[in-house]
Each structure stands twice: as structure tokens, then as C-alpha cells.
């Protein structure tokens, strides 16, 4: 093999189509296909090098594509200063159908590490899949991220989840049943009423000055958090993209926090069937105001009429705030993994881990939702 | 001791650490076929550790082409010239 890894350009699409066709013919899970466009739909490069952006790379064996991956580059608040950090996403290799190419996955990861040594991965599904196993083998810091849910319409959620026949979802359905008191009497524990208090207000566009003030006051509370200033928030969740639902939370007129959410009517989803799912993908608050923002987001999403509220939340304080609003933990398939060089900057890990603020917006964002 | 022997000894030490075996058990001929702990992840770990220690960057094809410590030492020596 004369292997090389290079950025994905528009001229490469035909080779990617052929790669995907081989995966299909080889019986690969349809979830694993390379993007058939070179430019990412979510946060593509803007030509001016503005961060964050996401781009794709392809592994070539002569003139044949054998794999690829996505790399998101973003500024992070990391142990008291801003650094550029990479997010390694969606690596795919022909090794899934032909063992001859089994080493390509590792070469993709190494390529990403050469481009961004401060690298992390987030999500990844089953921890026994090849990527999480490889990351653990390479001594990455690896641990689960909490999955939290709140059943806004418990009856619909139970019926919806029971129709989905996967073990993890069945476990989630049992959790919903237990926490909403809809299972046996032995499990009759209620998830509690919606928290009282002032609600948040939907906004089509955040005020940049207020977002920047809030970010400057909040960042010191985190050991590791994507920069969430006005420019970044606008690139991640553009005001002209109606999928992103923006909520601002005020106290005596002052912005004390915000949340970004998605409201998705699922269609035969392998986890959520046909439920209407509200996803809390990002949040920020003044230190000490997390519970108010979590409560406002919970009330607002529930009021929209979703069946189920979900979130992935690495930060211990934010997770506690959601639990305080009746959210409960479900079985997680969401993991974070930090490269050794990134983890070293967060040493001692045990002390810094609670301050790691990662949510879905820091990973795949709206992809798959 | 020749420069190439010195390089090989350094790589044996590195490999012993990465593979979790004694350096004295490793030779230039040691590779995935005769060292049980040398799987694809250990291979990548070893190459990345060597790249870092010797300040070189191997091509993907070179990484694929390494099948023993002697070959790894040869590729690294070529990059250091």
C-alpha cells in the first residue's frame, strides 16, 4: 500500500462514492458511510480560518479511498488559558469489511494527532467498538459522560421506547417507568413536578455584548470548556438556522445564562423510535446560576410539547442542576476521551475532571438529531 | 558501539516500555509475528513513541511497512540523515 492522508476536496467525491459502495457491498452497517460532500454541513471552514470549523480528511491507497475522518478545530478554555483543541470524529476505514485495511483506523488517528496534538473524542457509542478500544489502548483518558433524561409525557415515552427493540433502550424505558411511577408499585418514585420560578425567553438572536460578558464571567469556573463567546456561539448555532432554539435567562434584566436546544420529531430512530425529543445541546450560566438556567430550559422545552428531554452533560455541577429539575440518569453510550497531551494539561485529572464542561454541542452537535 | 546499534538499543528500550516486556527479550527481529503483545494498537503506540523520541514523522506507508524493531530503526535512521 502507498498510503497517504490528505484533505477531502470536491474532486474526491467520486472516489468516496466508490468507497461507500464497497462498504455497502461488504455488508457494513449503513450508519458507517463517508460524507459524500467535501464541505461539512455543520461549521464548514469559512475561508478566513475562523474557529471553530470542521473539515474532512481521506486516506488514499494510490488513487483509491480506504478511509477518512472529520476534525473539528475549536478554541478551548483549558486550565486557565485559551488553546486550540481538535475533536476527532467519525473515523471510518475499509478495515470494517476487509482486514487487509485494519491498520488504517490507527493511521487516521495518528494523522489527526499530528494536526492537533491536543485532541479529544466524544460520543463513540458502545465502548467496545474499535475506536474506544483503540483510544484506551493508546492510553487516552477515557470515561463515560452522563446521559440525563426527563419524560415530559411519560405515557408516550414508555410506549415509544418499548417499541424500540434494543437492550439499551429497554433499560432506558425501565428507568423512565421507575422514575415516573408508571411501572410496578415497587418502582413508584415520581420524577417530581416542574421546577417553579421565572422562565427563560426564546430569542432568535443573542446579544453579542451580553454573551461576551457572560463568557468572561463564567469561564473561570471551568477547567476545560469550549470558548462560548458571541462569535463562537454564532458559528456553532447560527441565528439563521431555525433548528437551533435559543433561550436566554435573565435576572433583573441581566443575562445570567443561555441554552441552545433542538426539538426533533424522530422517525424510526434506533434509540427513540418516533418520539418527539427535546435535546439540550449547550448551556452556559454565571457561576452559581446553573440551576436557574437548567430549570428555565426544562420548563421551556416541556412547554413546547416534546415527549422526552435528553442531554449529555460532562460537568458535574450542570448534571446536578438538571437532576434538581427532575432529570434522571439513563444508560449512557456517550464517552469522552482525551489524548495524553491534552490530559497532561489537566493534571491532576481527579481534581480537574468535575470542571470539564462538555455537552453535545461540543461533539456532533446537531448531527443525527 | 555503532550509531545504528545505539539507535536499535534505544528502540528496544522504548518497545520494552510500550509492549510491557523485558528489553533483553527483544532483538532486531522482534515483531508482531513473534511478540504476543505487539498488536495493531501497540504497533501504533510504538511508532508514535519513536516519532516523539527521535523527532521524526513517518509516512503512513512506512508505518505499514514496519514489521520488526530492526525495520523501525532503519526507517528512523533514514529520516534522521
Amino acid at each position: 500500500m502507498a498510503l497517504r492522508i490528505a484533505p477531502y476536496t470536491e474532486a474526491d467525491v467520486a472516489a468516496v462514492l466508490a468507497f461507500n459502495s464497497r462498504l455497502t457491498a461488504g455488508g457494513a452497517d449503513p450508519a458507517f458511510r463517508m460524507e459524500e460532500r467535501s464541505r461539512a454541513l455543520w461549521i464548514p471552514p469559512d475561508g478566513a480560518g475562523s474557529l471553530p470549523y470542521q473539515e474532512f480528511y481521506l486516506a488514499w491507497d494510490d488513487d483509491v479511498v480506504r478511509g477518512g475522518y472529520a476534525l473539528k478545530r475549536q478554541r478551548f478554555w483549558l486550565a486557565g488559558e485559551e488553546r486550540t483543541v481538535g475533536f476527532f470524529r467519525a473515523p471510518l476505514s475499509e478495515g470494517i469489511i476487509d482486514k487487509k485495511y485494519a491498520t488504517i483506523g490507527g493511521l487516521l488517528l495518528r494523522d489527526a494527532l499530528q494536526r492537533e496534538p491536543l485532541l479529544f473524542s466524544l460520543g463513540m457509542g458502545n465502548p467496545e467498538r474499535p475506536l474506544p478500544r483503540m483510544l484506551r489502548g493508546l492510553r487516552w483518558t477515557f470515561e463515560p459522560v452522563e446521559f440525563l433524561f426527563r419524560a415530559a409525557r411519560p405515557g408516550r415515552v414508555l410506549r415509544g421506547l418499548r417499541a424500540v427493540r434494543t437492550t439499551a433502550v429497554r433499560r432506558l424505558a425501565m428507568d423512565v417507568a421507575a422514575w415516573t411511577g408508571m411501572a410496578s408499585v415497587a418502582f413508584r418514585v415520581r420524577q417530581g413536578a416542574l421546577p417553579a420560578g421565572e422562565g427563560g425567553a426564546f430569542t432568535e438572536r443573542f446579544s453579542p455584548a451580553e454573551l461576551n460578558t457572560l463568557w468572561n464571567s463564567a469561564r473561570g469556573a471551568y477547567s476545560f470548556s469550549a470558548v462560548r463567546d458571541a462569535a463562537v456561539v454564532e458559528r456553532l448555532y447560527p441565528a439563521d438556522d431555525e433548528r437551533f432554539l435559543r433561550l436566554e435567562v435573565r435576572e433583573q434584566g441581566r443575562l445570567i445564562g443561555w441554552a441552545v436546544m433542538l426539538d426533533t420529531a424522530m422517525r424510526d430512530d434506533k434509540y427513540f423510535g418516533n418520539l418527539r425529543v427535546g435535546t439540550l445541546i449547550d448551556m452556559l450560566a454565571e457561576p452559581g446560576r446553573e440551576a436557574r438556567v437548567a430549570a428555565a430550559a426544562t420548563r421551556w422545552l416541556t412547554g413546547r410539547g416534546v415527549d422526552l428531554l435528553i442531554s449529555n452533560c460532562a460537568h458535574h455541577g450542570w448534571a446536578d442542576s438538571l437532576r434538581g429539575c427532575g432529570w434522571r440518569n439513563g444508560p449512557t453510550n456517550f464517552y469522552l476521551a482525551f489524548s495524553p497531551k491534552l490530559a497532561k494539561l489537566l493534571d491532576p485529572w481527579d481534581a480537574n475532571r468535575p470542571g470539564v464542561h462538555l455537552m453535545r454541542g461540543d461533539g456532533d452537535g446537531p448531527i443525527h438529531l | 558501539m555503532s550509531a545504528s546499534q545505539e539507535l536499535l538499543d534505544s528502540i528496544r528500550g522504548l518497545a520494552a516500555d510500550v509492549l510491557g516486556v523485558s528489553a533483553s527479550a527483544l532483538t532486531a527481529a522482534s515483531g508482531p509475528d513473534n511478540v504476543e503483545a505487539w498488536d495493531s494498537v501497540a504497533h501504533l503506540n510504538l511508532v508514535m513513541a519513536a516519532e516523539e523520541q527521535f523527532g521524526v514523522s513517518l509516512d503512513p506507508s512506512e508505518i505499514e511497512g514496519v514489521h520488526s524493531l530492526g525495520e523501525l530503526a532503519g526507517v528512523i535512521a533514514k529520516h534522521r540523515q
Side-chain angles (χ1 to χ4, degrees), chain A residues 41-346:
Chain A
L41 279 179
W42 187 48
I43 47 172
D46 66 355
S50 308
L51 297 176
Y53 67 83
Q54 181 177 211
E55 60 186 356
F56 304 127
Y57 294 88
L58 297 176
W60 294 87
D61 173 12
D62 291 324
D63 57 353
V64 180
V65 169
R66 300 294 184 192
Y69 72 95
L71 180 64
K72 183 166 78 167
R73 291 184 167 96
Q74 190 162 6
R75 297 291 283 173
F76 271 74
W77 181 255
L78 170 52
E81 61 178 314
E82 275 193 29
R83 306 283 292 261
T84 298
V85 173
F87 167 48
F88 180 66
R89 192 177 79 74
L92 182 60
S93 106
E94 199 151 341
I96 62 175
I97 56 164
D98 185 344
K99 281 187 175 175
K100 190 163 62 174
Y101 304 104
T103 56
I104 287 178
L107 295 174
L108 296 173
L109 176 63
R110 175 184 163 278
D111 185 76
L113 278 167
Q114 287 191 323
R115 295 177 195 278
E116 289 296 344
L118 304 181
L119 195 67
F120 75 99
S121 198
L122 191 64
M124 295 180 278
N126 186 327
E128 294 311 315
R129 278 183 176 170
L131 174 62
R133 286 175 58 186
M134 179 170 67
L135 296 179
R136 291 198 300 274
L138 292 171
R139 302 172 189 177
W140 283 42
T141 299
F142 188 89
E143 60 176 76
V145 172
E146 291 187 61
F147 168 69
L148 294 127
F149 70 90
R150 193 179 199 286
R153 300 165 74 182
R156 269 189 60 84
V157 171
L158 273 177
R159 285 192 300 277
L161 294 184
R162 281 174 174 158
V164 181
R165 303 197 177 280
T166 68
T167 306
V169 174
R170 281 183 175 171
R171 281 170 54 204
L172 178 59
M174 285 174 62
D175 289 342
V176 171
W179 287 110
T180 56
M182 296 189 71
S184 71
V185 175
F187 284 105
R188 197 167 287 273
V189 183
R190 301 221 170 255
Q191 66 180 356
L194 274 172
E198 223 174 291
F202 172 81
T203 182
E204 288 185 351
R205 189 180 292 270
F206 291 123
S207 151
E210 286 185 311
L211 283 195
N212 288 338
T213 300
L214 182 61
W215 166 244
N216 288 332
S217 74
R219 65 186 184 183
Y222 301 110
S223 57
F224 183 76
S225 165
V227 169
R228 286 166 160 90
D229 65 16
V232 170
V233 170
E234 175 58 23
R235 273 193 66 71
L236 289 172
Y237 317 117
D240 61 5
D241 189 331
E242 292 178 354
R243 285 176 303 170
F244 298 117
L245 306 168
R246 298 163 202 81
L247 190 77
E248 51 184 26
V249 185
R250 296 181 178 277
E251 209 168 77
Q252 296 173 334
R254 189 179 84 255
L255 184 74
I256 61 158
W258 54 261
V260 175
M261 296 157 285
L262 296 170
D263 178 348
T264 314
M266 298 291 183
R267 287 287 171 266
D268 298 324
D269 182 84
K270 68 176 175 178
Y271 296 114
F272 301 113
N274 293 312
L275 292 176
R276 186 174 160 192
V277 176
T279 310
L280 196 40
I281 62 169
D282 207 345
M283 294 187 286
L284 190 70
E286 278 184 2
R289 295 289 192 277
E290 292 83 359
R292 276 221 47 210
V293 174
T298 303
R299 270 197 306 275
W300 193 80
L301 259 182
T302 303
R304 269 183 76 86
V306 300
D307 299 319
L308 178 69
L309 282 63
I310 62 168
S311 189
N312 292 102
C313 191
H315 188 266
H316 293 181
W318 275 112
D320 286 344
S321 295
L322 289 174
R323 278 188 286 269
C325 303
W327 292 61
R328 301 297 171 197
N329 285 83
T332 188
N333 64 357
F334 207 78
Y335 292 81
L336 69 79
F338 284 5
S339 72
K341 284 185 178 168
L342 177 55
K344 196 174 176 186
L345 294 175
L346 289 167

Side-chain angles (χ1 to χ4, degrees), chain A residues 1-5 103 106-107 109-110 113-114 134 137-139 341, chain B residues 17-18 40-41 44-45 47-48 51-52 57-61 63-64:
Chain A
M1 271 195 288
L3 206 73
R4 64 188 167 88
I5 299 173
T103 56
L107 295 174
L109 176 63
R110 175 184 163 278
L113 278 167
Q114 287 191 323
M134 179 170 67
L138 292 171
R139 302 172 189 177
K341 284 185 178 168
Chain B
D17 184 39
V18 169
S40 59
V41 173
L44 192 62
N45 236 335
V47 168
M48 290 197 298
E51 285 181 320
E52 180 143 348
S57 178
L58 308 191
D59 295 334
S61 300
I63 296 173
E64 293 274 281

